[in-house]
């Protein structure tokens, strides 16, 4: 692991434990420009780690410090996501540019990094999230080309396949979305859910498959 200390961090709120992991993409042309920005005091943004497409990992902020990655966000009623999370930036140009799949060496390095982090903090599988999950409508990263299933298959995050009876459950979509952690069942939140858990079609509309996946997820997380 390489070190590139960023000045952009502060104290975590007293008494908080780290129980959320947030994945991002950099949305910049390359790793160098992203590292420069994440270490620029005037930018006032950072993350704990950055993972390059070739698998090189940079440490920017110590895990006991509050990095400035989530911005205006919330999860399960917690508005200070930065205080209780670790943030990882993945190099990718993002939706505004040449958004592309995340390279295998990058995914393998990320998987290893996540396992290390999970060994140090009590982060449940269902609180391994994308920036878009905690800031629906405002953020789209890491986006629908990020392979959450691949990561979950390797023990990082949750990816339940819905059972047939999950599709038959009649649900109040907003209530089940809130159970999982989203603020509501509005279009932006549904789109964020789909970007993460039903990436082949991000419509913002809670169709049958979306509902079934939400039910499966809430059940798998034992939040029902
Ligand atoms: Zn982000």
């Amino acid at each position: 692991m390489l070190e590139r200390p960023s000045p952009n961090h502060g104290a975590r709120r007293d008494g908080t434990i780290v129980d959320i992991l947030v994945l991002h993409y950099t949305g910049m042309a390359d790793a160098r420009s992203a590292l420069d920005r994440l270490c620029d005091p005037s930018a006032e943004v950072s993350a704990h780690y950055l993972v390059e497409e070739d698998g090189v990992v940079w440490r920017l902020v110590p895990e006991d410090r509050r990095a400035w990655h989530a911005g205006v966000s919330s999860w399960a009623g917690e508005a200070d996501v930065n205080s209780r999370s670790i943030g990882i930036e993945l190099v990718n140009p993002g939706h505004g540019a040449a958004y592309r799949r995340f390279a295998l060496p990058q995914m393998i390095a990320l998987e290893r990094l996540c396992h290390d982090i999970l060994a140090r903090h009590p982060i449940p599988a269902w609180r391994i999230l994308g920036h878009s999950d905690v800031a629906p409508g405002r953020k789209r990263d890491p986006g629908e080309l990020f392979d959450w299933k691949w990561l979950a298959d390797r023990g990082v995050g949750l990816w339940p396949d819905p059972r047939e009876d999950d599709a038959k459950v009649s649900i109040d979509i907003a209530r089940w979305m809130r159970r999982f952690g989203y603020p509501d069942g509005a279009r932006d939140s549904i789109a964020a859910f789909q970007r993460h858990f039903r990436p082949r079609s991000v419509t913002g509309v809670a169709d049958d498959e979306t509902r079934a996946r939400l039910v499966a997820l809430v059940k798998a997380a034992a939040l029902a």
Side-chain angles (χ1 to χ4, degrees), residues 22-26 69-70 89 131-132 139 141-142:
V22 181
L23 304 188
H24 303 258
Y25 64 48
T26 54
H69 58 97
E89 287 279 358
H131 198 185
S132 53
K139 291 291 175 181
D141 62 313

Side-chain angles (χ1 to χ4, degrees), residues 149 153 158-167 197 209 212-217 219-220:
K149 181 182 187 308
D153 286 345
L158 214 50
W159 188 279
D161 280 319
R163 297 182 319 193
E164 205 173 317
D165 55 338
D166 290 334
F197 297 104
E209 188 193 358
R213 288 203 166 270
L214 177 60
V215 169
L217 202 57
K219 283 185 181 172

